[in-house]
Amino acid sequence: MIDYAPLEAWFVTGSQHLYGPETLAQVERDSRAIVEGLNNSAAVPVRVVYKPVLTTPEEIAAVLRDADAAGNCIGIIAWMHTFSPAKMWIGGLSRLRKPLCHLHTQFGRDIPWASIDMDFMNLHQSAHGDREFGFICSRLRMQRKVVVGHWEDGAVHHGLSVWLRAAAAWHDSQTMKIARFGDNMRQVAVTEGDKVEAELRLGYSVNGYGLGDLVARVNSVAEGAVNELCAEYESRYGLMEELREGGAKRESLRAAARIELGLRSFLEEEGFHAFTDTFENLHGLEQLPGIAAQRLMEDGYGFGAEGDWKHAALVRSMKVMAHGLQGGTSFMEDYTYHFDPSGPGVLGAHMLEICPSLATQQPSCEIHPLGIGGKADPVRLVFDSATGIAVNASIVDMGERFRMVVNTVDVVEPPASLPRLPVARALWQPRPDLNTAAAAWIYAGGAHHTGFSLALRPEHLEDFAAMAGLEFLLIDGDTNLRQFRNELRWNDAAYGVSASR
């Protein structure tokens, strides 16, 4: 349900008529060559579309207006090949709503020391023209990404790839629909938030549906479809004996399959991208959706437990950004600390709902008591996460703005097996260390729920936050707690927040 193929980013080149038709013809050839080179790069995930060289305010305004209207255009990549007087860009840029990336490059990589003359200088003026363009973007207070380097360099392709993935997620967010089955967990603060402001700021809509609407779908699932899905479970996962054909808990597996099919039907037919549920509102369902939520996430849906719609949306956006990359992405929760000085860490898990895209081994399909929710024992997939560098991200509603908090972590193998913990889990060491990272997270008000990804890096989320106008806070190997607390104070000052309530 995530597809980059229809998407495109428009490549626009700025120049002017001062240089004459021959120079403009060369500018066009060079621009086309750059677009072709980017599209031939395996690192660039979205098709880049060449647009004619822009030399007048009217041309600029028209192309940027068309970009905003184009349903499959996710953003603008702008380059000033020569010198493009920036007052020409005011009308177009001031109305542009699509994300903007400023590519600060030069067609020829090197200065030809022996042959360089003024003709070469006039043609290769990106160092000149891009600074003019940069000024007008700053003067207009435009959020944009600046990528610097020669257009054939891998680092430039990487920078563009990160931005394109964030732009694809932002594009997806504008039409994202989130279904809430039940409200958020009672008395919990961080899962609350302003859904109207979220739609204004992030584009997605959040609406509630009675559990009876879902239960009706679940109860109408055909027995043949249940049989087929149970057979798929058996082929893909290691089923514990009680869940196999003839086992004591076989009917629980069939109930879980029926819930998945009903939930999937509801989401697909109504065009939803993400959903939430809560263990406090399960009337009519035999068990809490465990394996259903896990498998739907694996297919690209966002999910948030306990009615947490902000993290359902974040998980979906992170899924879109991570499309085609190695490493899984999931809903997550910081569950338990390991304070052993020889290897401190965080055990991340949830009651049931961790995406199997994180697993490197075949998950085990199991059933166990949950001890919460007051329903039948739920079926879930149990596995250990893959290891490696990951990000843990949270979005919280601070009242006057949304804040994104991101921590870089290192996922490691557990030092011992966990035979009595029948849930999917990940063990990680936060950067720079557990004590500093946890303190910074708490000072920032980060949630206990997160979007967790082995595929993404902080810059993906930072680019997305810039597009959405979110406050962005990074906790990584360079974090100093005193400086981090000062950053929080400075940000409050920038948003005009009073120090006391």
Side-chain angles (χ1 to χ4, degrees):
M1 61 176 301
I2 300 172
D3 185 10
Y4 282 3
L7 306 180
E8 57 188 40
W10 289 9
F11 190 94
V12 300
T13 308
S15 188
Q16 60 179 321
H17 287 286
L18 177 66
Y19 306 107
E22 291 185 5
T23 297
L24 288 177
Q26 186 63 50
V27 169
E28 179 181 346
R29 288 192 292 272
D30 292 349
S31 297
R32 289 185 181 276
I34 290 177
V35 170
E36 182 179 1
L38 295 178
N39 284 327
N40 287 334
S41 170
V44 178
V46 174
R47 185 167 63 99
V48 180
V49 175
Y50 168 83
K51 292 295 174 180
V53 178
L54 303 177
T55 58
T56 69
E58 293 76 19
E59 293 172 352
I60 293 168
V63 168
L64 299 188
R65 184 171 59 247
D66 290 346
D68 276 334
N72 60 340
C73 175
I74 65 171
I76 295 290
I77 302 172
W79 173 49
M80 305 302 112
H81 188 310
T82 53
F83 188 77
S84 179
K87 286 174 68 176
M88 297 194 303
W89 289 84
I90 293 174
L93 289 176
S94 62
R95 297 172 178 83
L96 179 66
R97 297 179 61 84
K98 293 287 175 76
L100 174 65
C101 179
H102 181 185
L103 176 58
H104 183 38
T105 189
Q106 182 174 283
F107 185 74
R109 191 191 70 175
D110 303 329
I111 294 175
W113 304 108
S115 61
I116 187 170
D117 56 18
M118 285 309 300
D119 288 339
F120 182 95
M121 295 280 277
N122 286 334
L123 182 63
H124 295 81
Q125 283 198 66
S126 295
H128 184 192
D130 277 330
R131 281 170 167 76
E132 169 78 350
F133 184 77
F135 164 75
I136 204 61
C137 290
S138 295
R139 177 66 176 80
L140 294 171
R141 306 296 193 269
M142 293 195 68
Q143 288 286 357
R144 79 279 192 193
K145 179 167 187 174
V146 179
V147 176
V148 181
H150 189 252
W151 58 275
E152 291 180 305
D153 287 349
V156 168
H157 294 180
H158 172 75
L160 290 173
S161 171
V162 169
W163 177 81
L164 286 165
R165 290 181 176 280
W170 177 245
H171 177 79
D172 180 79
S173 184
Q174 304 316 294
T175 56
M176 189 192 305
K177 294 171 61 179
I178 302 171
R180 298 182 79 212
F181 300 107
D183 205 345
N184 67 303
M185 183 178 173
R186 297 171 196 137
Q187 306 298 332
V188 175
V190 77
T191 53
E192 295 282 6
D194 188 335
K195 293 188 282 292
V196 173
E197 184 63 24
E199 188 162 351
L200 287 169
R201 175 67 63 185
L202 291 141
Y204 58 73
S205 64
V206 185
N207 290 289
Y209 295 86
L211 200 63
D213 297 332
L214 175 58
V215 169
R217 297 291 187 109
V218 171
N219 291 340
S220 67
V221 171
E223 290 303 303
V226 173
N227 293 337
E228 290 179 9
L229 186 52
C230 287
E232 183 180 336
Y233 291 163
E234 292 191 59
S235 67
R236 288 193 59 185
Y237 314 117
L239 263 64
M240 64 189 305
E241 194 65 34
E242 292 91 329
L243 295 176
R244 294 184 180 277
E245 189 71 50
K249 296 288 187 178
R250 181 66 175 190
E251 285 305 310
S252 294
L253 185 72
R254 294 181 61 81
R258 192 173 290 109
I259 290 171
E260 178 182 337
L261 290 165
L263 181 54
R264 188 180 293 274
S265 169
F266 188 99
L267 297 174
E268 287 179 351
E269 291 181 20
E270 301 295 333
F272 290 102
H273 303 80
F275 68 101
T276 71
D277 62 23
T278 174
F279 64 89
E280 288 182 321
N281 188 347
L282 294 173
H283 183 71
L285 292 180
E286 292 184 37
Q287 55 184 266
L288 180 64
I291 190 172
Q294 292 177 293
R295 283 168 49 86
L296 285 162
M297 264 194 288
E298 189 174 25
D299 287 342
Y301 285 95
F303 171 76
E306 292 105 46
D308 192 346
W309 51 270
K310 293 189 296 298
H311 287 91
L314 178 60
V315 170
R316 166 64 182 187
S317 292
M318 292 173 70
K319 289 276 188 183
V320 174
M321 280 185 264
H323 178 60
L325 296 178
Q326 292 294 315
T329 299
S330 179
F331 174 77
M332 186 60 74
E333 178 172 293
D334 296 62
Y335 227 103
T336 301
Y337 290 138
H338 185 58
F339 276 125
D340 182 349
S342 65
V346 179
L347 184 62
H350 202 254
M351 294 183 294
L352 304 170
E353 310 97 342
I354 301 301
C355 180
S357 64
L358 299 178
T360 55
Q361 304 294 326
Q362 183 189 49
S364 173
C365 184
E366 303 181 12
I367 183 169
H368 301 276
L370 185 60
I372 193 170
K375 288 290 181 178
D377 299 344
V379 175
R380 81 292 301 268
L381 299 175
V382 178
F383 56 87
D384 287 316
S385 169
T387 59
I389 300 172
V391 291
N392 224 7
S394 173
I395 289 182
V396 292
D397 186 345
M398 298 301 293
E400 70 293 323
R401 84 269 200 187
F402 288 101
R403 169 181 286 172
M404 178 184 284
V405 188
V406 175
N407 185 201
T408 307
V409 305
D410 296 287
V411 186
V412 298
E413 294 278 358
S417 61
L418 301 161
R420 300 186 65 183
L421 184 65
V423 295
R425 61 263 174 155
L427 178 68
W428 64 80
Q429 298 169 340
R431 297 183 185 181
D433 57 75
L434 173 55
N435 290 3
T436 302
W441 191 276
I442 288 170
Y443 277 123
H448 55 286
H449 291 164
T450 61
F452 177 88
S453 180
L454 284 153
L456 300 178
R457 296 294 176 261
E459 60 184 312
H460 292 97
L461 293 154
E462 186 173 15
D463 282 358
F464 180 83
M467 294 170 191
L470 305 178
E471 178 189 6
F472 179 83
L473 294 168
L474 176 61
I475 304 165
D476 64 3
D478 296 325
T479 295
N480 173 282
L481 201 54
R482 182 176 293 108
Q483 293 175 348
F484 188 84
R485 293 184 71 185
N486 279 334
E487 184 178 353
L488 291 170
R489 296 186 185 100
W490 298 331
N491 287 2
D492 274 349
Y495 284 93
V497 178
S498 173
S500 62
R501 288 288 181 183

